[in-house]
């Protein structure tokens, strides 16, 4: 893959795992699968550290190993590294689907790569205990939530790579009393699920985010009711079709009606036919009528849907980068498939010079492609050649994916820079925070604590707050705001990236 | 294409200016002689960032996760080189940082054993080493005995030393690999003490014999 992708992966790993892991992974990225000794040689790190880094990478599913002629070979799965960018979205999705406790469980699993059920419940219990939110920790509830996650297939068994077992979702019998004992500090109790590890089923979560995109697209195009109908259709699609199929098997109208009846949308139940007709007629072509028997057979067309969404995204990008006139030309070229310069300026109704300028800009930036057509037999002089403009969607999407990588990398670098250049201040604030919380916790022995603390702090909070001058506070606010903005931009770029990778997956 | 054009005395460009949209007589844009700006001015400003509560929450999640991962043992730390002096705070630092090795955190039935620190090899060496040791010591002690006998004869000493050095070298080759174990063995070796009373010149450049320092 590209240099940008490598840099992005590398800075993601640096942000989460530090320099050594980054170093090892980057070496794997550059050279593909290779044995331990070569990694050590190339990175110049101590052997134990290389091993430790590889352990971390394997545990989080970023590195896979295979038996080669001479010992093991390790290789990086960069796609999984890029998934880290989307972890918060997965957590949030699970939160909305299954509740706060489930989110915590998922977070724990993400933090550990893979983990046993009892361990994750113990950890989540302790976390809830410490967190200030009003949740009451309880082992049975957590276990229930865990089961819910498994039932929804958000979590999956890990299987050893050597054996070709199919991953399953069977939950082991957990010994609840043993878990409770463990939480209370008894390390000898056995919860009965040792060596049964769970990891996050990313495939499932990716599908869910994909469905979310489709539903929200319909909701924005039509209305809330249509969105709900689309959700039901996707749900029906799951029942009869493999999860990554391009189009669903036909769904009869009667079944759609039945499914809609169960939902709480009276208006939708009333006008199912009309809504179906609307979605079907819509230019986005998410839905296709494939038969007339039984009142009509419908099929969800995922492949087409993502092509349309990718087009829409690209149009928006062109619009924001080059203005609405350029977007008009872009749409025109798309519509006509192959078109000459002359026609562009006529049909787009843009003055000749401007039209040419915009077309060439788009060509230069690779948003449209040019095809030469020479008349056979006539001299090859350029005057006799047709220059046809067209758009190769795959090329443009690949380019845009690269842009996303680039933008993400730049933002991460910028964020890193902002943090580093204001490190002193951020550290200071952190110190102050810990001091005040410490003091508050030990309210009774405050004076004793004050003695331990350095002199200018003394005992009361006021003075601690005074440690920062107003200008410093202002600066800190500014920096934190910048960092937050950059972080949020990262999340949004990742949305685009996700949509485009979904398109590439289907095409 | 270009080759033919040249012959006719026309411009050597394969495309005429008119084709690119310039009317006849219109001035062409001046050639660009500078590299593009590092931060080119944006013709169109990006859309303002809309921070919703959902996005803020997602950001918090993201930050929390990244921070946790960095603090956790998943962040592989480099081996810290010993500082110049011992500081009082070091003792507390040691308490804070988790010194346990990474091996106990993993279930090795799921990990390639190759990634374990190689303890087994060491043990093997340990078992074998005593025998080797014994031999060398025998040789050396014999040499010493000879040396003692011949100590009165000054002229022979130099020769002896050369021999000693040779045996040393052989010894060291093995020693390097099993330093730690050897050191332990040395301490236990009964006849090692006898070797002590060698004039020591052969040991000059060897690390293991730093202990002998006071003799000089």
């Amino acid at each position: 893959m590209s240099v940008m992708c490598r840099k992005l992966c590398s800075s993601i790993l640096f942000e989460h795992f530090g320099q050594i892991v980054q170093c090892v992974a980057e070496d794997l990225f550059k050279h593909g699968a290779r044995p331990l000794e070569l990694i050590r040689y190339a990175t110049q790190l101590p052997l134990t550290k290389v091993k430790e880094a590889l352990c971390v990478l394997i545990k989080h599913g970023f590195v896979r190993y295979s038996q080669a002629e001479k010992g093991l070979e390790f290789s990086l799965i960069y796609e999984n590294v890029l998934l880290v960018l989307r972890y918060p979205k997965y957590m949030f999705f699970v939160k909305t689907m299954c509740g706060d406790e489930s989110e915590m469980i998922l977070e724990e699993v993400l933090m550990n790569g893979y983990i046993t059920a009892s361990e994750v419940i113990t950890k989540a219990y302790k976390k809830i205990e410490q967190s200030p939110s009003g949740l009451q920790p309880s082992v049975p509830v957590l276990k229930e939530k865990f089961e819910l996650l498994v039932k929804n297939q958000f979590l999956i068994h890990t299987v050893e790579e050597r054996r070709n077992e199919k991953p399953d979702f069977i939950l082991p019998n957990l010994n609840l009393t043993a878990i409770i004992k463990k939480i209370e500090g008894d390390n000898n109790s056995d919860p009965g699920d040792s060596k049964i590890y769970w990891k996050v089923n990313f495939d499932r979560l990716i599908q869910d985010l994909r469905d979310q995109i489709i539903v929200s697209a319909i909701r924005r195009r039509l209305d809330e009711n249509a969105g709900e109908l689309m959700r039901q259709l996707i749900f029906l699609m799951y029942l009869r079709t493999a999860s990554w199929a391009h189009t669903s098997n036909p769904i009869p109208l009667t079944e759609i009606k039945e499914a809609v009846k169960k939902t709480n949308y009276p208006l939708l139940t009333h006008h199912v036919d009309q809504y179906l007709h609307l979605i079907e007629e819509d230019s986005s072509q998410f839905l296709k009528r494939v038969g007339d028997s039984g009142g009509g057979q419908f099929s969800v067309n995922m492949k087409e849907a993502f092509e349309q969404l990718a087009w829409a995204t690209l149009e928006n990008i062109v619009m924001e980068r080059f203005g609405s006139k350029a977007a008009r030309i872009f749409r025109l070229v798309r519509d006509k498939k192959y078109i000459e310069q002359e026609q562009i300026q006529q049909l787009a109704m843009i003055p000749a010079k401007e039209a040419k300028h915009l077309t060439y800009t788009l060509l230069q930036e690779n948003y449209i492609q040019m095809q030469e057509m020479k008349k056979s037999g006539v001299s090859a002089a350029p005057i006799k050649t047709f220059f046809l403009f067209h758009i190769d969607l795959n090329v443009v999407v690949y380019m845009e994916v690269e842009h996303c990588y680039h933008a993400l990398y730049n933002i991460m670098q910028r964020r890193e820079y902002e943090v580093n250049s204001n490190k002193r201040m951020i550290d200071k604030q952190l110190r102050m925070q810990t001091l005040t919380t410490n003091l508050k916790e030990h309210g009774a022995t405050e004076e004793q604590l004050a003695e331990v603390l350095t002199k200018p702090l003394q005992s009361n909070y006021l003075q601690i707050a005074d440690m920062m001058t107003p200008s410093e506070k202002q600066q800190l606010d500014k920096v934190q705001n910048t960092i937050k903005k950059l972080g949020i931009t990262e999340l949004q770029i990742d949305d685009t990236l996700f949509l485009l990778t979904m398109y590439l997956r289907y095409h | 294409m270009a080759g033919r054009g040249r012959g006719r005395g026309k411009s050597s460009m394969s495309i005429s200016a008119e084709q690119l949209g310039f009317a006849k007589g219109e001035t062409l844009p001046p050639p660009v002689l500078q590299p593009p700006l590092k931060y080119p001015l944006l013709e169109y400003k990006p859309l303002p960032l809309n921070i919703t509560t959902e996005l803020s929450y997602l950001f918090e999640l993201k930050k929390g996760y990244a921070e946790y991962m960095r603090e956790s043992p998943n962040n592989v730390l480099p081996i810290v080189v010993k500082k110049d002096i011992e500081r009082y705070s070091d003792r507390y630092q040691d308490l804070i940082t988790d010194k346990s090795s990474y091996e106990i955190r993993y279930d090795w039935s799921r990990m390639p054993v190759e990634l374990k620190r190689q303890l087994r090899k060491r043990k093997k060496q340990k078992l074998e080493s005593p025998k080797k040791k014994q031999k060398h010591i025998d040789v050396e002690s014999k040499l010493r005995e000879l040396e003692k006998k011949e100590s009165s004869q000054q002229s022979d000493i130099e020769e002896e030393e050369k021999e000693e050095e040779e045996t040393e070298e052989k010894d060291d080759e093995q020693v390097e690999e099993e330093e730690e174990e050897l050191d332990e063995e040395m301490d236990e070796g009964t006849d090692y003490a006898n070797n002590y009373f060698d004039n020591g010149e052969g040991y000059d450049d060897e690390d293991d014999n730093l202990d002998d320092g006071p003799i000089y």
Side-chain angles (χ1 to χ4, degrees):
Chain A
M1 284 308 280
S2 68
V3 182
M4 256 317 143
C5 185
R6 189 186 85 210
K7 282 183 171 175
L8 177 60
C9 284
S10 160
S11 65
I12 291 172
L13 288 172
F14 177 72
E15 194 190 344
H16 292 88
F17 300 100
Q19 207 191 348
I20 290 179
V21 174
Q22 175 202 22
C23 211
V24 170
E26 186 151 5
D27 184 59
L28 286 175
F29 200 113
K30 272 188 208 159
H31 300 102
R34 57 189 348 211
L36 191 61
E37 269 305 309
L38 273 175
I39 303 171
R40 189 184 69 97
Y41 177 73
T43 53
Q44 299 281 325
L45 291 167
L47 190 61
T48 44
K49 289 291 151 186
V50 176
K51 285 179 180 175
E52 196 179 338
L54 280 172
C55 284
V56 171
L57 286 166
I58 290 174
K59 195 163 188 217
H60 284 87
F62 302 143
V63 160
R64 88 163 73 81
Y65 52 92
S66 54
Q67 191 70 40
E69 268 175 54
K70 284 180 190 170
L72 289 176
E73 281 198 340
F74 301 90
S75 53
L76 187 77
I77 317 170
Y78 74 91
E79 292 94 336
N80 288 2
V81 180
L82 293 178
L83 284 184
V84 177
L85 292 171
R86 224 163 289 139
Y87 281 2
K89 277 171 209 159
Y90 298 141
M91 289 183 226
F92 185 69
F93 176 76
V94 167
K95 184 190 175 82
T96 47
M97 288 286 291
C98 313
D100 291 348
E101 289 97 339
S102 306
E103 184 201 11
M104 275 184 188
I105 290 173
L106 191 85
E107 193 177 7
E108 259 332 304
V109 180
L110 283 174
M111 280 167 176
N112 286 285
Y114 56 72
I115 192 170
T116 60
S118 57
E119 222 175 313
V120 86
I121 289 173
T122 323
K123 283 191 175 179
Y125 184 92
K126 282 181 184 157
K127 211 182 220 174
I128 293 173
E129 236 178 10
Q130 285 166 4
S131 74
S133 66
L135 285 174
Q136 274 301 316
S138 106
V139 174
V141 170
L142 281 171
K143 184 187 173 245
E144 221 169 80
K145 291 285 178 183
F146 189 87
E147 277 166 0
L148 186 66
L149 283 175
V150 173
K151 211 180 94 198
N152 282 318
Q153 306 192 346
F154 295 139
L155 295 178
I156 193 171
H157 270 187
T158 54
V159 280
E160 280 175 71
E161 287 190 28
R162 270 158 283 164
R163 275 185 257 151
N164 268 335
E165 285 170 43
K166 259 200 128 185
D168 60 45
F169 301 95
I170 303 160
L171 198 72
N173 281 325
L174 286 175
N175 186 347
L176 281 188
T177 47
I179 293 176
I180 293 168
K181 262 189 195 165
K182 214 172 183 180
I183 290 169
E184 281 159 4
D186 175 14
N187 280 328
N188 295 325
S189 54
D190 176 33
D193 68 337
S194 69
K195 309 235 165 194
I196 301 174
Y197 293 99
W198 298 87
K199 64 175 179 186
V200 175
N201 186 3
F202 288 112
D203 197 55
R204 172 77 224 175
L205 284 163
I206 289 171
Q207 281 174 46
D208 279 308
L209 289 193
R210 173 199 71 182
D211 300 343
Q212 259 190 349
I213 288 181
I214 299 275
V215 171
S216 73
I218 287 289
R219 191 185 301 136
R220 254 179 288 169
R221 258 171 190 277
L222 301 166
D223 65 354
E224 196 64 37
N225 293 325
E228 183 56 32
L229 177 61
M230 198 66 217
R231 192 195 302 280
Q232 294 303 323
L233 282 168
I234 290 173
F235 184 66
L236 289 169
M237 174 182 170
Y238 275 117
L239 294 180
R240 59 193 74 224
T241 323
S243 36
W244 287 104
H246 289 175
T247 54
S248 75
N249 295 332
I251 308 164
L253 181 66
T254 44
E255 240 175 85
I256 298 172
K257 277 190 174 162
E258 247 169 65
V260 167
K261 249 181 219 165
K262 284 175 203 156
T263 62
N264 203 8
Y265 287 82
L267 206 66
L268 179 63
T269 344
H270 241 342
H271 303 285
V272 178
D273 292 319
Q274 283 85 340
Y275 270 116
L276 274 175
H277 192 67
L278 271 178
I279 298 178
E280 189 204 327
E281 292 281 291
D282 193 80
S283 62
S284 54
Q285 293 168 359
F286 288 7
L287 196 64
K288 247 190 191 153
R289 198 186 170 97
V290 286
D292 298 322
S293 58
Q297 305 268 327
F298 294 89
S299 150
V300 181
N301 195 345
M302 282 287 178
K303 190 179 172 180
E304 184 63 32
F306 271 95
E307 182 161 352
Q308 296 299 331
L309 287 172
W311 274 117
T313 312
L314 290 179
E315 270 169 30
N316 276 326
I317 290 170
V318 170
M319 169 119 95
E320 296 304 332
R321 276 193 67 182
F322 307 103
S324 55
K325 280 183 181 170
R328 200 190 304 165
I329 293 177
F330 185 78
R331 273 194 299 269
L332 186 70
V333 178
R334 177 199 165 184
D335 208 38
K336 294 283 175 197
K337 301 260 173 12
Y338 287 89
I339 189 168
E340 260 193 296
Q341 176 63 65
E342 282 290 305
Q343 282 172 296
I344 290 180
Q345 57 208 43
Q346 276 168 20
L347 291 169
M349 293 192 281
I350 298 171
K353 194 167 174 197
E354 206 184 347
K356 273 175 185 156
H357 178 73
L358 289 171
T359 318
Y360 297 154
T361 317
L362 287 178
L363 183 68
Q364 188 187 323
E365 300 284 332
N366 264 327
Y367 284 96
I368 57 179
Q369 282 74 35
M370 194 169 68
Q371 171 80 48
E372 288 179 36
M373 292 284 287
K374 287 181 184 133
K375 279 186 192 163
S376 59
V378 197
S379 79
I383 207 86
K384 302 280 184 205
T385 321
F386 294 108
F387 292 100
L388 294 174
F389 293 99
H390 68 107
I391 299 171
D392 188 337
L393 187 58
N394 278 347
V395 171
V396 183
V397 168
Y398 271 117
M399 182 183 76
E400 219 42 66
V401 167
E402 280 301 300
H403 284 174
C404 286
Y405 289 156
H406 201 151
L408 282 168
Y409 173 70
N410 285 356
I411 289 171
M412 289 183 97
Q413 289 307 102
R414 178 76 202 185
R415 194 154 49 89
E416 193 72 30
Y417 168 79
E418 290 286 346
V419 170
N420 280 337
S421 55
N422 294 292
K423 201 166 183 50
R424 195 190 58 85
M425 219 161 45
I426 294 169
D427 281 353
K428 193 173 170 185
Q429 195 222 12
L430 205 73
R431 239 187 359 254
M432 271 167 50
Q433 267 177 3
T434 42
L435 271 176
T436 35
T437 45
N438 261 345
L439 283 172
K440 274 179 194 165
E441 267 176 29
H442 299 82
T445 58
E446 208 170 283
E447 269 162 38
Q448 292 165 7
L449 258 167
E451 282 165 32
V452 183
L453 296 172
T454 47
K455 263 189 181 172
L457 305 181
Q458 286 306 338
S459 58
N460 56 21
Y461 312 137
L462 273 176
Q463 263 176 328
I464 291 170
D466 278 347
M467 270 170 72
M468 272 201 158
T469 60
S471 68
E472 265 184 326
K473 260 183 209 160
Q474 218 176 5
Q475 172 77 1
L476 188 74
D477 277 350
K478 208 178 133 198
V479 170
Q480 274 171 341
N481 207 9
T482 321
I483 292 172
K484 187 177 174 184
K485 254 189 187 170
L486 288 170
I488 288 175
T489 321
E490 240 172 84
L491 290 167
Q492 288 190 325
I493 293 176
D494 181 59
D495 279 340
T496 313
L497 185 62
F498 179 70
L499 198 150
L500 294 176
T501 39
M502 274 302 104
Y503 165 81
L504 290 177
R505 184 165 186 159
Y506 276 110
H507 288 82
Chain B
M1 256 197 282
R4 268 202 220 172
R6 219 179 289 156
R8 287 184 203 158
K10 266 190 177 180
S11 77
S12 59
M13 265 210 294
S14 61
I15 311 168
S16 65
E18 285 117 77
Q19 262 180 307
L20 288 171
F22 291 104
K24 258 186 189 165
E26 198 178 340
T27 48
L28 293 171
V32 183
L33 299 173
Q34 279 173 336
L37 291 169
K38 245 182 186 169
Y39 294 96
L41 295 171
L42 285 178
E43 211 176 322
Y44 298 92
K45 279 213 162 184
L47 295 172
L49 192 63
N50 227 337
I51 301 180
T52 58
T53 43
E54 185 188 321
L55 278 173
S56 302
Y57 182 71
L58 282 174
F59 174 69
E60 288 304 318
L61 277 179
K62 181 184 164 70
K63 212 172 91 181
Y65 183 74
E67 267 166 20
Y68 174 86
M69 290 312 272
R70 280 219 92 150
E71 314 266 289
S72 76
N74 286 317
N75 183 355
V76 181
L77 295 168
I79 299 167
V80 185
V81 188
K82 260 198 178 170
K83 274 172 269 166
D84 40 0
I85 47 163
E86 195 190 350
R87 288 183 177 81
Y88 179 69
S89 60
D90 286 355
R91 295 182 208 173
Y92 295 94
Q93 211 63 43
D94 285 354
L95 287 179
I96 295 164
T97 49
D98 184 13
K99 275 280 166 80
S100 62
S101 80
Y102 67 95
E103 279 142 354
I104 51 159
R105 290 201 301 271
Y106 296 98
D107 178 354
W108 289 98
S109 63
R110 305 215 152 228
M111 286 281 182
V113 187
E114 207 175 295
L115 292 182
K116 248 185 182 173
R117 235 179 269 185
Q118 278 155 348
L119 289 171
R120 244 171 56 221
K121 235 184 186 175
R122 279 197 155 185
K123 268 179 193 165
K124 249 187 203 169
Q125 280 177 351
K126 221 175 186 178
L127 287 176
E128 287 168 15
S129 57
K131 286 177 193 168
K132 282 185 200 167
K133 256 297 349 186
Q134 223 65 47
K135 269 185 201 168
H136 283 291
I137 286 166
D138 286 349
V139 171
E140 278 184 355
S141 60
K142 263 182 189 171
L143 281 169
R144 307 278 171 257
E145 279 167 33
L146 285 170
E147 196 181 314
K148 274 177 189 170
K149 281 177 191 170
E150 290 170 355
S151 58
S152 54
Q153 291 166 296
Q154 290 282 327
S155 57
D156 285 351
I157 285 177
E158 281 174 25
E159 281 177 32
E160 285 294 323
E161 275 170 8
K162 274 180 192 169
E163 277 180 42
E164 255 171 57
E165 272 172 26
E166 278 170 19
T167 48
E168 269 316 290
E169 274 166 22
K170 280 183 206 164
D171 216 35
D172 286 332
E173 277 168 20
Q174 275 133 346
V175 165
E176 271 171 13
E177 287 174 24
E178 332 154 342
E179 262 176 343
E180 285 174 44
E181 284 83 14
L182 275 187
D183 280 349
E184 284 169 25
E185 297 296 334
M186 288 279 215
D187 292 342
E188 288 165 8
T190 46
D191 45 3
Y192 184 65
N194 300 338
N195 305 350
Y196 249 54
F197 299 102
D198 142 69
N199 58 8
E201 276 172 34
Y203 287 93
D204 266 6
D205 40 4
E206 300 304 328
D207 283 351
D208 345 10
N209 294 305
L210 280 176
D211 302 358
D212 301 357
I215 295 169
Y216 300 108

